[in-house]
Amino acid sequence: MTANWAAFSTAEPDLAKQVEERFGAFTHHTLATLRKDGSPRTSGLEIRFLNGELWLGMMAGSAKVLDLLRDPRFALQANPGEGQGMGGGDVRISGRAIEVVDAKTKGGYVEEVEPPEPFHLFRTELTEVVRTYVEDDKYLVVQVWKPGAPVRTIKRT
């Protein structure tokens, strides 16, 4: 089961806001894809939350594009920032990246973002959103959301 960003935001607005704020704190994040041989590849990436979707834009012909065209599964981790502090916690999103080839949709993205051309655009179908943070300098808290289920919260000392 998958959901787009709008469905996640509707189902869990507080967590969605925290996730967007965490990704908004930095421009570059880390995308994990699968290579042809099945081994992981991590790459830097800029993302956008626009019109109820989480978008991944990439330079044409890049290794991560080829990975996603072959196998659309991905994991995305928010930039942890400088030093030891994690501010809003650690945030990760997993799902499937679906290439956008529709000229009108891609054109709307270009108007908003003005990416360097040529580029590939992917919309995302989420399978999991995870936020991990420390509460009261005592508890490790992990929030896990999957489509069709409420947020599950795990708290450890």
Side-chain angles (χ1 to χ4, degrees):
M1 180 178 252
T2 62
N4 72 355
W5 189 258
F8 167 59
S9 295
T10 298
E12 297 294 340
D14 292 337
L15 181 57
K17 181 178 183 239
Q18 292 167 335
V19 170
E20 281 193 50
E21 287 174 355
R22 187 67 187 84
F23 275 102
F26 296 93
T27 303
H28 297 95
H29 306 288
T30 302
L31 176 73
T33 57
L34 294 170
R35 298 171 192 253
K36 190 181 225 178
D37 68 2
S39 63
R41 179 192 318 271
T42 58
S43 307
L45 180 76
E46 294 181 30
I47 65 161
R48 295 289 190 281
F49 297 97
L50 293 171
N51 305 319
E53 299 286 354
L54 167 57
W55 302 98
L56 311 176
M58 301 169 208
M59 289 176 33
S62 66
K64 57 192 162 197
V65 166
L66 299 175
D67 289 347
L68 290 173
L69 292 175
R70 186 176 43 257
D71 185 331
R73 293 176 292 172
F74 74 89
L76 178 65
Q77 183 168 17
N79 185 328
E82 297 179 22
Q84 300 294 320
M86 288 289 286
D90 178 51
V91 175
R92 298 177 307 270
I93 299 171
S94 298
R96 299 174 66 79
I98 310 304
E99 186 178 22
V100 174
V101 293
D102 174 67
K104 183 177 178 183
T105 303
K106 204 168 177 181
Y109 181 86
V110 168
E111 285 179 23
E112 290 284 333
V113 178
E114 299 179 10
E117 303 255 2
F119 75 103
H120 284 265
L121 180 62
F122 295 85
R123 68 175 181 78
T124 59
E125 295 179 349
L126 312 180
T127 56
E128 182 178 70
V129 177
V130 178
R131 178 176 178 242
T132 306
Y133 62 97
V134 176
E135 183 178 278
D136 300 329
D137 291 326
K138 183 177 180 179
Y139 301 101
L140 177 68
V141 181
V142 181
Q143 296 174 293
V144 180
W145 175 83
K146 294 185 179 191
V151 171
R152 184 172 51 116
T153 301
I154 303 156
K155 193 184 261 192
R156 295 188 203 155
T157 55

